[in-house]
């Protein structure tokens, strides 16, 4: 674990919230080691998951609001650093799937671009929220469920 991850681990649920918030922005940070470590230390997997979903949602919402109000100007000024190819791919996803594409905003290769594209396209915040929260809930449920299963089998 990095020093940052260790620091956040010591903060418990607050650390998961901060870590998931940061990982949902364009900052290069992964909350997975932190999220998987806390239940092993006696923290409730349900609260860890709920806290991670909330932090991830608010982090993504921050990026959405920046893109919604700043649009292409924010991207062009490099306030949000994101690869143009990822933006093109996310626009194709939106053209094909519409707002349900946001369900996959947790995916590493296209997630940030989906959130930014939703803001630029001015997707309604309710639709944005529903699909993003659904995707993040599934992400953390699967991740924590697999970890719990592994601990029960081999722990």
């Amino acid at each position: 674990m990095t020093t940052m991850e260790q620091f956040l681990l010591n903060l418990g649920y607050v650390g998961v919230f901060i870590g998931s918030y940061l990982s949902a922005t364009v900052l290069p940070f992964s909350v997975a080691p932190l999220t998987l470590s806390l239940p092993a230390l006696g923290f409730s997997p349900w609260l860890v998951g709920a806290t991670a979903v909330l932090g991830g949602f608010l982090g993504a919402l921050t990026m959405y609001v920046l893109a919604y109000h700043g649009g292409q100007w924010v991207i062009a000024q490099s306030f949000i650093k994101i690869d143009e190819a990822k933006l093109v791919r996310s626009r194709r996803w939106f053209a094909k799937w519409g707002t349900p594409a946001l369900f996959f905003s947790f995916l590493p290769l296209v997630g940030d671009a989906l959130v930014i594209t939703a803001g630029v396209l001015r997707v309604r915040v309710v639709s944005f929220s529903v699909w993003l929260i659904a995707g993040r809930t599934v992400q953390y449920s699967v991740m924590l469920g697999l970890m719990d299963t592994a601990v029960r089998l081999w722990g």
Side-chain angles (χ1 to χ4, degrees):
M1 268 193 177
T2 66
T3 304
M4 176 66 146
E5 289 169 335
Q6 188 62 45
F7 173 73
L8 293 174
L9 184 66
N10 290 335
L11 294 176
Y13 297 116
V14 173
V16 168
F17 177 84
I18 293 168
S20 60
Y21 180 91
L22 293 175
S23 72
T25 65
V26 292
L27 297 174
F29 184 79
S30 174
V31 74
L34 182 62
T35 305
L36 295 174
S37 297
L38 284 176
L41 296 173
F43 289 84
S44 165
W46 293 103
L47 286 177
V48 169
T51 305
V53 168
L54 178 62
F57 167 68
L58 292 176
L61 185 63
T62 301
M63 300 308 297
Y64 165 85
V65 168
L66 285 172
Y68 186 95
H69 292 292
Q72 293 294 345
W73 181 83
V74 172
I75 296 167
Q77 298 300 315
S78 296
F79 294 123
I80 299 174
K81 295 187 187 287
I82 195 139
D83 185 39
E84 185 64 33
K86 290 180 182 177
L87 287 172
V88 169
R89 187 179 316 132
S90 70
R91 285 181 193 266
R92 278 191 299 224
W93 280 39
F94 267 97
K96 184 174 183 178
W97 302 102
T99 55
L102 287 164
F103 181 89
F104 300 100
S105 67
F106 63 88
L107 294 175
L109 298 177
V110 73
D112 292 338
L114 284 170
V115 170
I116 299 304
T117 300
V120 170
L121 295 177
R122 296 183 171 259
V123 168
R124 289 183 29 231
V125 73
V126 172
S127 296
F128 171 85
S129 301
V130 166
W131 288 108
L132 192 120
I133 290 171
R136 300 284 166 143
T137 300
V138 169
Q139 171 197 14
Y140 289 112
S141 296
V142 169
M143 189 169 39
L144 289 166
L146 289 174
M147 181 60 149
D148 184 58
T149 302
V151 167
R152 288 173 195 247
L153 289 175
W154 298 293

